Amino acid sequence: CTACNSGTHSTGGAEGCDDCEQGRYQNQIGSTACEGCPRGRASTALGADSPSTCQFCPNGTFGGSRGLSYCEPCPAGTYSSSEGLIACSACPEGSLTPPGALMCCPHASTDWPLTS
């Protein structure tokens, strides 16, 4: 019997070790499961062996659940101006924003682009 290395796990008596999936990591040897990236972070790395591979979601996006491989853009009408958010903030009435907005803009004309 050989213990699985960090960045991998073995499931229920299966032979061999599998890499941790995107959005997950394992920094212990001999694990049966990988840990999910915390909310507000995501990772595209396979076989990650450290929580540091989970990067903060950039401005304009959010990470609402654990174990994400990518951060989702804020929906239209919302924004996020900070990294690592778990939800986007609603814009005040009279503002418009496209998806993935960093801030709300007052709706000054009907020419405002609704998409980026």
Side-chain angles (χ1 to χ4, degrees):
C1 240
T2 302
C4 292
N5 292 325
S6 57
T8 65
H9 69 285
S10 176
T11 53
E15 289 188 31
C17 301
D18 296 317
D19 284 340
C20 292
E21 300 86 14
Q22 292 178 332
R24 306 184 80 71
Y25 69 92
Q26 183 48 258
N27 56 0
Q28 303 292 317
I29 294 173
S31 289
T32 58
C34 296
E35 301 290 326
C37 288
R39 292 171 61 188
R41 296 181 179 217
S43 174
T44 58
L46 290 172
D49 62 0
S50 170
S52 66
T53 60
C54 301
Q55 302 296 307
F56 285 112
C57 292
N59 298 354
T61 68
F62 72 103
S65 58
R66 291 180 55 87
L68 295 177
S69 58
Y70 65 93
C71 299
E72 297 184 48
C74 291
T78 67
Y79 73 101
S80 74
S81 58
S82 300
E83 293 183 335
L85 295 181
I86 61 172
C88 299
S89 300
C91 289
E93 192 172 326
S95 299
L96 290 177
T97 61
L102 308 179
M103 64 181 166
C104 298
C105 296
H107 181 59
S109 81
T110 56
D111 298 342
W112 180 255
L114 297 177
T115 59
S116 52

